[in-house]
Amino acid sequence: MFAVLTGDCGTGKTTTIRRFVDRLRLQYFTAIRQRIDIQCRLGHFDRAQVGEYVTKHLQYAGVSQQIFSDGAIDEIHRFSGGAARLINKLCTHCLLYGAQNGHRIIDEHMVKRVVEGELS
C-alpha cells in the first residue's frame, strides 16, 4: 500500500495533522511509524527566500522579466509569514487581479488591495 499524507502543522495550534503525528509517537503505533519512509517538513521562508521562490515559480511558467516589485515581495512576505501555501495563494490572486486590471507589474499597493479585498 502507498499513501501520501499532506497538511499544515500550523504554528502552535493543535491541528489535525499535528494530532496525527503526536498519536503516531505512541508505542501502540510503532509498526506504522516504522513503515514511514520519507517525511518532509517545509519551513517558513525569510524575505530573500520568498523573492527567490516567487522568481523561480515564474521562471517555471516561462516568465523572463520581473512581475512583482520589491515592495510587492515585501508585502507578500509580511502577509504570508513565509508559508509557501500562502505565498502561492496570494501570488495567484495578485496575478489574476493584475491581468483583470491591465497591469504588467504587481506592486505593493496591489498586493495590499488583494489581501484586503479577497483574502481577509
Side-chain angles (χ1 to χ4, degrees):
M1 176 158 78
F2 179 76
V4 176
L5 300 175
T6 63
D8 184 358
C9 287
T11 54
K13 299 176 187 172
T14 304
T15 61
T16 303
I17 196 80
R18 186 178 299 277
R19 286 192 304 267
F20 176 74
V21 169
D22 288 344
R23 188 163 287 179
L24 280 178
R25 290 187 182 120
L26 298 174
Q27 183 69 31
Y28 182 79
F29 295 107
T30 300
I32 293 173
R33 208 173 48 248
Q34 291 170 345
R35 288 170 173 80
I36 297 173
D37 291 323
I38 298 172
Q39 290 185 30
C40 178
R41 292 200 172 112
L42 182 60
H44 291 237
F45 298 136
D46 64 25
R47 163 55 182 86
Q49 291 170 321
V50 169
E52 293 168 10
Y53 181 78
V54 170
T55 299
K56 187 57 80 176
H57 277 260
L58 290 171
Q59 288 173 350
Y60 291 147
V63 176
S64 58
Q65 73 266 8
Q66 187 175 356
I67 292 179
F68 290 89
S69 71
D70 287 338
I73 297 295
D74 291 340
E75 286 300 314
I76 291 166
H77 177 256
R78 189 182 63 72
F79 173 78
S80 69
R85 176 179 46 84
L86 292 175
I87 294 166
N88 294 340
K89 184 174 185 171
L90 182 53
C91 287
T92 298
H93 282 262
C94 286
L95 290 168
L96 289 170
Y97 179 86
Q100 290 169 347
N101 292 286
H103 298 283
R104 293 188 174 273
I105 302 293
I106 308 296
D107 65 16
E108 63 271 17
H109 302 293
M110 292 171 62
V111 175
K112 287 178 184 177
R113 271 187 239 134
V114 168
V115 167
E116 292 168 1
E118 298 181 29
L119 302 177
S120 295

